[in-house]
Amino acid sequence: MDHGTVFAGTVSVQTAAHADGLVLLELEAPPQFQTAKAGQFVMLASERADMPLLPRPFSILSVGTTLSLGFAVVGEGTRVLAKAQAGDDLYLMGPLGTVYAPDARPVLIVADASHFGTPLGLARALAGEATVVFVTRPSDQRPCPYDDAVTAAHQDAAALALFAETGASVETVALDGLKACLEGQAPGTVCAGASDPVMAVLQQVAEAKGWPGEVSLQAPMACAVGACEVCIRPTRDGRWLKVCEGPVVPLQTPRFQP
Amino acid sequence: MDHGTVFAGTVSVQTAAHADGLVLLELEAPPQFQTAKAGQFVMLASERADMPLLPRPFSILSVGTTLSLGFAVVGEGTRVLAKAQAGDDLYLMGPLGTVYAPDARPVLIVADASHFGTPLGLARALAGEATVVFVTRPSDQRPCPYDDAVTAAHQDAAALALFAETGASVETVALDGLKACLEGQAPGTVCAGASDPVMAVLQQVAEAKGWPGEVSLQAPMACAVGACEVCIRPTRDGRWLKVCEGPVVPLQTPRFQP
Amino acid sequence: MTADLSVTIGAITLKAPIMPASGTFGLGYGRVFDLNRLGALVPKTITLSPREGHPPPRLTEEAGGLMNAIGIPSVGVEAAIHDVFSRYKAFEPPLVVSISGDTVEEFGALTARLDGVADALEVNLSCPNLEAGGQAFALDPDATERAVAACRRATRLPLWCKLAPHAGRPQEVAKAAEAAGGDALILANTLLAYAVDEAGAPRLANRTGGLSGRPVKPVALRLVDEAARAVAIPLIGCGGVFTLRDVLDYFCAGASAVAVGTATFHRATTMVGLIDALDHHCTTKGVAVADLVARRPS
Amino acid sequence: MTADLSVTIGAITLKAPIMPASGTFGLGYGRVFDLNRLGALVPKTITLSPREGHPPPRLTEEAGGLMNAIGIPSVGVEAAIHDVFSRYKAFEPPLVVSISGDTVEEFGALTARLDGVADALEVNLSCPNLEAGGQAFALDPDATERAVAACRRATRLPLWCKLAPHAGRPQEVAKAAEAAGGDALILANTLLAYAVDEAGAPRLANRTGGLSGRPVKPVALRLVDEAARAVAIPLIGCGGVFTLRDVLDYFCAGASAVAVGTATFHRATTMVGLIDALDHHCTTKGVAVADLVARRPS
Ligand SMILES: Cc1cc2nc3c(=O)[nH]c(=O)nc-3n(C[C@H](O)[C@H](O)[C@H](O)COP(=O)(O)OP(=O)(O)OC[C@H]3O[C@@H](n4cnc5c(N)ncnc54)[C@H](O)[C@@H]3O)c2cc1C
Ligand SMILES: Cc1cc2nc3c(=O)[nH]c(=O)nc-3n(C[C@H](O)[C@H](O)[C@H](O)COP(=O)(O)OP(=O)(O)OC[C@H]3O[C@@H](n4cnc5c(N)ncnc54)[C@H](O)[C@@H]3O)c2cc1C
Ligand SMILES: Cc1cc2nc3c(=O)[nH]c(=O)nc-3n(C[C@H](O)[C@H](O)[C@H](O)COP(=O)(O)O)c2cc1C
Ligand SMILES: Cc1cc2nc3c(=O)[nH]c(=O)nc-3n(C[C@H](O)[C@H](O)[C@H](O)COP(=O)(O)O)c2cc1C
Ligand code: FES
Ligand code: FES
């Protein structure tokens, strides 16, 4: 067996940047990450005593001399991980999971701030050759239970800026305008990663239009290697799939809660 | 009931000094401590996530504008408490327990580094009007499981220096010389706090000579207010006493392991 | 205090739903906080005759909680009545006396002696039943029924039955306690456990001990949830209550009040801190504590 | 590797006394570390027929440990043999297949089908016995005896019986498993628990779940200690093994090996890390692992 293709151990934080409830980390990149691709993810944990038991899954944003990760502070694990500073050691396991493989252009990326990591990874990989439809949330939502000063508007803006930096052309739209916005697009492939209500709309439009596509899923994870059956999500045909054996799966496979 | 006579809450560290496996803390002193006396103790805990569940008991060394505590790093709790820095908050409960009340002079203090707190508190209170017999340990003992660089000789020297600073006249002796050393003394009262082997020798000599005296005891504690019956130690007449209802008790009461 | 924090446990009204867990409380805490703020006062379990308890070490820190083997040292009921409980009478909260016996008969005798002394009795059924090879009463529905029935015959005082968390059939035990005349259940006592030191020797002189604190909360919460669907009498949650969240969790699972032990050792003012936090919570939400209690016990 | 880390569990020799706990392991870990270093390979419990398991959420972090209600989803024994266990044959460590049944008969049928497939069977007795109102087999000595006896009649393979930590009479259950022909005991499975979210709703779709990790270690260690004095067959400790200290504690209590679950989720390489640490410990002390095992099982 190919043991050793997945790294598991500690790496040091090169830089840590915080803005508007988003945290961007550049980590020492173990050799196993040299061939990592957009869509894949890692399990990450702080060595601090207040870190919860389980590492948390995060998408690989890009890999160069460093491994680039980004996350929103939404709960206890991300709250503790957000304390990471340059020079700290973090526990890292990866790369894990499947990749986006869009085989027809143009690529339409559908994303939101609650799930920006995987699509951002793809936008970076495509180096601008994509259109991003970014779905904003009601601006007064408070996505971070530990910091009431962070509004959804702040976090959305911060995530949007990251997409803009990739050179992609970015359109923003609220959930109620999403259907119309999508119907105005003519993608070769759709690559998505967003909250369930967004995905439910996209799935419907793409099915109607016959667009091929892929989606990256999220679920709480324990093993991240297909062993524990914790990370399951329902499919439209009544089965369950393990997100860690994705996270990228065909767009029409999962069942989303509108 | 006199609720409020014992403080329980957080206080800030004013200064923290480390040397040779001993830590000296000066803490903000809540009003309840203004009348605290040598022999009394506090329960102390770090607010760090790696602090064990239970606060640890430490003797009050003296109280002025600050509350002065000192401890040896001997286990997990003291290891975490040793990380305290000026400005940190610590959980403090006290003052607790009984006091030394030597009623005849001269006062002979018998101490060792494993138990230096209570006798040092008395030596400070007597402001030099005492003789201290300080029992040293084999110099290559390693009293601190977390730091092999700390020898008993280091710790003994550091504790000795604290006694010397009080102005008391200090004699040092090894355990095997203790009996002879004690027999050369002529105290009005003996006040002791030391490990069991030291106490066993002292108890025997004091009994033979008819010296009155007091000893401060140690035991692991949970409630520190007489409720849990965790801190028991045997007496010579086959009973048990709760150390937190001491810690200072008549010299001839406890049973010590030679 | 602005919100109504009172709850009723059968015939007794508690001014707040927070009380000490037996064995972790004594009047010494009166020097630290105002005991009159508590829902009830619960001294350490007593026995009919004096007994020594286990030798030290009696306590160790394990798995983020505590493990104890105190062994119910007791001055015996007579001395307790004269020297201990008399001093509790100076306080407002009801006095709930925890009792333990080696036999069914002892439970009955203790209860008879305490009739008129206590406001309620906590029947500690986690102690070894010497008539059944030393197995704890609370592990067996029949033994539980017999012990509680003996108490019931001896008094009209409310009987709060304290069960063990490692009973294989906890709902049957809960039903047995109710059927025999129990007025409330306390769920639960400590979880039987073992710890060794670096040399491989038991950390406690008694070899095994009872695990308490955070590690047992999910188990005690399960017992409350199960009992809530098995019996009609009120439930008191006990195990790992440290925070307001823990208190609310027990309410949601079906408890009407909680008992706090280990957390008081951690921070002496935990109970009054919880009462303050609950007061704040109720005031902010504009509710009474009784509204937070998910279940309406009969 | 320099020290002799091998231990024998009845007829089987393990090259190291560290193996995965069923339900927390799969061949996917082969991408992270060398599976051939483990003492045994233990896939997730399987059942005779396919079944779905519980809906999500299936896992929550509680009390410093985990609470799970996966519900034994299973492809059924035929598919498992062809699609899953066949791939385990590429590895050196013995394949220990964990089995579960709703009835005594199912245990027997599963065992018969796995004879010749596995190197040993782990009889997961913590599952509900549908012939006894859903109470877990391992809570009752008789049910345990019947299930293990059914397996024993169906195979000569070693039977490792995995017991439940909340049995009221664990020594009786242990003796029943031994009397029925069990070759080893695994102590223990998860502790039945409950957790609610901020809204008071169960955190797990199945309502209750099994607590694992650090909080259960003192309880599992107690079961090992009790079983060590009740039966002669070897014991495998399971519950909260994270560090070398935990492994040594289980050895001191009477276990010959340990199984690791939750800690592998915490840090994926925990098991090989423990093997390295044990190797270092034995090398430094100049002993073999067998010398550390306090008890000599027959
Ligand atoms: C493959 C994958 C890639 C991901 N990539 C990113 C990323 O690049 N950036 C990013 O910010 N987040 C990403 N996530 C989501 C991230 O893992 C969760 O936000 C994180 O685990 C929450 O941890 P917490 O302890 O802070 O919150 P918790 O306290 O665990 O939970 C807070 C909330 O998040 C939900 N939640 C918990 N875990 C997950 C999870 N794994 N997936 C979805 N929801 C969860 C909970 O149900 C709860 O509502 C990814 C998740 C997956 C599965
Ligand atoms: C009234 C009183 C006053 C004390 N004053 C001082 C003081 O001024 N300075 C000082 O350095 N120490 C003092 N001690 C001892 C101090 O409380 C212990 O050293 C400390 O609790 C050890 O905690 P730990 O977590 O580091 O070690 P642990 O890991 O808890 O234990 C390390 C070792 O210390 C033993 N031990 C644990 N707790 C106690 C205890 N309370 N008493 C005795 N032995 C214990 C353990 O059995 C073990 O051998 C006092 C103890 C008491 C009871
Ligand atoms: C030191 C100690 C002594 C205890 N003594 C008793 C006792 O005498 N009677 C009893 O019913 N429970 C006793 N208990 C159990 C507690 O009352 C309580 O049920 C248990 O500790 C769980 O609650 P906690 O997690 O809040 O501590 C004791 C617990 C501890 C820690
Ligand atoms: C997610 C998960 C799934 C489990 N599935 C099973 C199972 O299928 N069969 C079984 O016997 N035990 C199962 N267990 C229990 C473990 O094998 C083990 O007994 C328990 O977790 C205690 O060990 P630990 O503290 O090392 O995790 C599971 C545990 C977890 C956490
Ligand atoms: S996280 Fe374990 S199967 Fe996906
Ligand atoms: S520490 Fe509780 S009685 Fe002394």
Side-chain angles (χ1 to χ4, degrees):
Chain A
M1 176 145 292
D2 49 356
H3 67 84
T5 59
V6 172
F7 172 84
T10 55
V11 295
S12 74
V13 178
Q14 309 296 303
T15 67
H18 300 71
D20 297 320
L22 289 194
V23 180
L24 289 175
L25 297 178
E26 300 294 330
L27 306 180
E28 182 193 344
Q32 288 91 333
F33 283 87
Q34 290 318 318
T35 55
K37 293 258 164 5
Q40 288 193 288
F41 67 99
V42 302
M43 298 294 278
L44 191 72
S46 165
E47 300 281 2
R48 296 175 58 100
D50 50 354
M51 178 73 200
L53 182 76
L54 296 176
R56 300 298 198 244
F58 299 103
S59 308
I60 296 171
L61 300 187
S62 54
V63 188
T65 50
T66 57
L67 165 63
S68 181
L69 304 177
F71 60 89
V73 176
V74 297
E76 192 54 22
T78 48
R79 186 184 70 83
V80 177
L81 279 166
K83 298 180 189 173
Q85 297 181 333
D88 288 358
D89 275 350
L90 295 179
Y91 169 78
L92 176 76
M93 175 185 178
L96 297 158
T98 52
V99 303
Y100 283 119
D103 41 26
R105 308 288 150 127
V107 177
L108 173 66
I109 297 178
V110 179
D112 64 12
S114 81
H115 198 124
F116 70 96
T118 4
L120 178 62
L122 179 64
R124 285 191 179 181
L126 294 175
E129 295 189 32
T131 299
V132 176
V133 170
F134 185 92
V135 186
T136 56
R137 295 168 289 184
S139 63
D140 58 346
Q141 266 188 16
R142 292 286 185 282
C144 173
Y146 298 98
D147 187 353
D148 251 7
V150 175
T151 63
H154 288 131
Q155 244 183 21
D156 285 0
L160 258 172
L162 295 171
F163 281 102
E165 278 171 17
T166 67
S169 80
V170 183
E171 295 175 39
T172 65
V173 63
L175 183 59
D176 58 8
L178 178 61
K179 185 153 189 271
C181 168
L182 289 173
E183 284 171 342
Q185 309 285 336
T189 321
V190 192
C191 290
S195 55
D196 268 38
V198 170
M199 287 310 309
V201 172
L202 173 62
Q203 211 177 36
Q204 199 192 348
V205 174
E207 189 161 42
K209 301 263 188 184
W211 298 339
E214 294 174 319
V215 56
S216 81
L217 300 175
Q218 294 195 357
M221 290 184 181
C223 74
V225 296
C228 70
E229 312 211 25
V230 161
C231 63
I232 58 167
R233 289 202 52 136
T235 65
R236 292 171 76 187
D237 61 2
R239 292 173 304 116
W240 296 96
L241 48 81
K242 296 183 205 167
V243 171
C244 69
E245 293 184 343
V248 180
V249 301
L251 178 57
Q252 296 302 337
T253 301
R255 176 154 56 83
F256 294 105
Q257 298 288 337
Chain B
M1 177 144 291
D2 49 354
H3 67 83
T5 58
V6 172
F7 173 83
T10 56
V11 294
S12 73
V13 177
Q14 309 295 306
T15 65
H18 300 70
D20 297 320
L22 289 194
V23 179
L24 289 176
L25 297 179
E26 300 293 331
L27 306 181
E28 182 194 343
Q32 288 91 335
F33 284 87
Q34 290 319 319
T35 54
K37 293 256 164 4
Q40 288 192 288
F41 66 100
V42 302
M43 297 294 278
L44 190 72
S46 166
E47 300 281 2
R48 296 175 58 100
D50 50 354
M51 179 72 201
L53 181 76
L54 296 176
R56 300 296 198 249
F58 299 103
S59 307
I60 296 172
L61 300 188
S62 54
V63 188
T65 51
T66 57
L67 165 63
S68 180
L69 304 177
F71 59 89
V73 176
V74 297
E76 193 54 21
T78 47
R79 187 185 68 83
V80 177
L81 279 166
K83 297 179 188 173
Q85 297 180 335
D88 288 357
D89 274 351
L90 295 179
Y91 168 78
L92 177 76
M93 176 185 178
L96 297 159
T98 52
V99 303
Y100 283 118
D103 41 25
R105 308 286 149 129
V107 177
L108 173 67
I109 297 177
V110 179
D112 64 12
S114 80
H115 199 125
F116 69 96
T118 3
L120 178 61
L122 179 64
R124 285 192 180 180
L126 295 177
E129 296 189 33
T131 299
V132 176
V133 170
F134 185 92
V135 186
T136 56
R137 294 169 291 184
S139 63
D140 57 347
Q141 266 189 15
R142 292 288 184 281
C144 173
Y146 298 98
D147 187 353
D148 251 7
V150 176
T151 63
H154 289 130
Q155 246 184 18
D156 285 1
L160 256 173
L162 294 171
F163 281 102
E165 277 170 20
T166 67
S169 82
V170 182
E171 295 176 38
T172 66
V173 62
L175 182 60
D176 58 8
L178 178 61
K179 186 155 187 270
C181 169
L182 289 173
E183 285 171 343
Q185 310 286 337
T189 321
V190 191
C191 291
S195 55
D196 268 37
V198 170
M199 287 309 309
V201 172
L202 172 62
Q203 211 177 36
Q204 199 192 346
V205 174
E207 189 162 42
K209 302 260 187 188
W211 299 338
E214 294 174 319
V215 55
S216 81
L217 300 175
Q218 294 195 358
M221 289 185 182
C223 74
V225 296
C228 69
E229 313 211 25
V230 161
C231 64
I232 58 167
R233 287 200 55 135
T235 65
R236 292 171 77 187
D237 61 2
R239 292 173 304 115
W240 296 96
L241 48 81
K242 297 183 205 167
V243 171
C244 69
E245 293 184 344
V248 179
V249 300
L251 177 58
Q252 297 301 338
T253 302
R255 177 154 54 84
F256 294 105
Q257 296 289 335
Chain C
M1 303 251 293
T2 50
D4 178 4
L5 303 186
S6 68
V7 293
T8 57
I9 304 292
I12 296 191
T13 297
L14 312 182
K15 73 174 89 168
I18 312 279
M19 71 187 85
S22 177
T24 68
F25 180 74
L27 293 185
Y29 278 113
R31 289 184 285 145
V32 191
F33 59 85
D34 181 0
L35 304 185
N36 285 328
R37 298 195 59 204
L38 300 177
L41 301 182
V42 188
K44 176 149 188 82
T45 300
I46 58 148
T47 53
L48 195 58
S49 313
R51 35 184 281 171
E52 277 231 321
H54 299 307
R58 289 176 160 188
L59 189 79
T60 169
E61 288 164 301
E62 293 298 323
L66 294 178
M67 229 180 92
N68 87 80
I70 311 287
I72 316 194
S74 169
V75 294
V77 68
E78 292 307 327
I81 290 173
H82 295 112
D83 305 339
V84 184
F85 304 150
S86 54
R87 296 190 293 134
Y88 278 79
K89 291 289 167 190
F91 299 91
E92 297 161 13
L95 170 63
V96 180
V97 171
S98 172
I99 60 169
S100 167
D102 289 339
T103 61
V104 168
E105 199 190 335
E106 251 181 64
F107 271 106
L110 251 175
T111 301
R113 186 63 190 88
L114 289 163
D115 196 70
V117 173
D119 298 302
L121 295 182
E122 188 172 302
V123 188
N124 178 357
L125 295 157
S126 299
C127 46
N129 177 353
L130 294 193
E131 292 160 327
Q135 204 203 16
F137 286 91
L139 297 183
D140 179 52
D142 290 342
T144 297
E145 170 134 26
R146 280 196 303 276
V148 177
C151 298
R152 181 74 298 158
R153 280 192 297 274
T155 189
R156 301 180 69 169
L157 284 178
L159 296 175
W160 298 1
C161 305
K162 188 163 178 187
L163 305 185
H166 42 284
R169 294 183 291 154
Q171 290 188 317
E172 301 313 308
V173 176
K175 285 181 195 164
E178 180 180 50
D183 299 284
L185 302 180
I186 307 192
L187 302 160
N189 217 306
T190 54
L191 203 43
L192 198 58
Y194 183 56
V196 294
D197 64 17
E198 287 72 20
R203 282 197 187 272
L204 299 177
N206 182 53
R207 190 167 193 104
T208 57
L211 186 67
S212 66
R214 293 191 185 92
V216 308
K217 182 196 153 194
V219 177
L221 201 67
R222 186 258 300 174
L223 292 163
V224 169
D225 178 59
E226 288 180 338
R229 288 173 293 151
V231 299
I233 52 178
L235 310 174
I236 298 164
C238 179
V241 173
F242 279 70
T243 64
L244 176 63
R245 185 75 257 147
D246 296 322
V247 177
L248 299 177
D249 286 358
Y250 274 106
F251 289 163
C252 292
S256 302
V258 298
V260 179
T262 301
T264 297
F265 297 156
H266 177 64
R267 297 292 182 260
T269 55
T270 298
M271 286 187 285
V272 285
L274 289 174
I275 293 170
D276 289 338
L278 203 50
D279 185 33
H280 179 78
H281 180 82
C282 289
T283 308
T284 312
K285 301 229 161 191
V287 297
V289 158
D291 302 321
L292 299 172
V293 172
R295 178 170 166 269
R296 298 268 162 272
S298 64
Chain D
M1 302 251 292
T2 50
D4 178 4
L5 303 186
S6 68
V7 293
T8 57
I9 305 292
I12 296 191
T13 298
L14 311 182
K15 72 174 89 171
I18 312 279
M19 69 187 86
S22 178
T24 66
F25 179 74
L27 293 184
Y29 279 113
R31 290 185 284 144
V32 191
F33 59 84
D34 181 0
L35 304 185
N36 284 329
R37 298 195 59 204
L38 300 178
L41 301 182
V42 188
K44 176 150 187 79
T45 299
I46 59 149
T47 54
L48 196 58
S49 315
R51 36 185 279 171
E52 277 230 322
H54 299 307
R58 290 177 159 187
L59 190 78
T60 171
E61 287 163 303
E62 294 298 324
L66 294 177
M67 230 181 90
N68 87 80
I70 311 287
I72 316 195
S74 169
V75 294
V77 67
E78 291 306 327
I81 290 173
H82 295 110
D83 305 339
V84 184
F85 304 149
S86 56
R87 295 189 293 133
Y88 277 81
K89 291 289 168 188
F91 299 92
E92 297 161 14
L95 170 62
V96 180
V97 171
S98 171
I99 60 169
S100 165
D102 290 337
T103 61
V104 168
E105 199 190 336
E106 251 180 64
F107 271 106
L110 250 176
T111 302
R113 184 64 189 89
L114 288 163
D115 195 73
V117 174
D119 298 302
L121 296 182
E122 189 173 300
V123 188
N124 178 357
L125 295 157
S126 299
C127 45
N129 177 355
L130 295 193
E131 292 160 327
Q135 205 205 16
F137 287 91
L139 296 183
D140 179 53
D142 289 342
T144 296
E145 169 132 25
R146 282 195 303 275
V148 177
C151 298
R152 181 76 296 160
R153 280 190 298 274
T155 189
R156 301 181 68 170
L157 284 178
L159 297 175
W160 298 1
C161 305
K162 189 165 177 184
L163 305 186
H166 41 284
R169 293 183 292 154
Q171 290 188 318
E172 301 312 308
V173 176
K175 284 180 194 162
E178 179 180 51
D183 299 285
L185 302 180
I186 307 193
L187 301 161
N189 217 306
T190 54
L191 204 43
L192 198 58
Y194 183 55
V196 295
D197 64 18
E198 286 73 19
R203 282 196 188 270
L204 299 177
N206 182 54
R207 191 168 192 103
T208 56
L211 186 67
S212 66
R214 293 191 185 91
V216 307
K217 183 196 151 193
V219 178
L221 201 67
R222 186 257 301 175
L223 292 164
V224 169
D225 178 59
E226 288 181 337
R229 287 171 294 150
V231 300
I233 52 178
L235 309 174
I236 298 165
C238 179
V241 173
F242 278 69
T243 63
L244 176 62
R245 185 75 257 148
D246 296 322
V247 177
L248 299 178
D249 285 358
Y250 275 106
F251 288 164
C252 292
S256 302
V258 298
V260 179
T262 301
T264 298
F265 298 156
H266 176 66
R267 297 293 182 259
T269 54
T270 299
M271 286 187 285
V272 285
L274 289 174
I275 293 170
D276 289 339
L278 204 49
D279 185 33
H280 178 78
H281 180 83
C282 290
T283 308
T284 311
K285 301 229 161 191
V287 297
V289 158
D291 302 321
L292 299 173
V293 172
R295 178 172 167 269
R296 297 269 162 270
S298 64

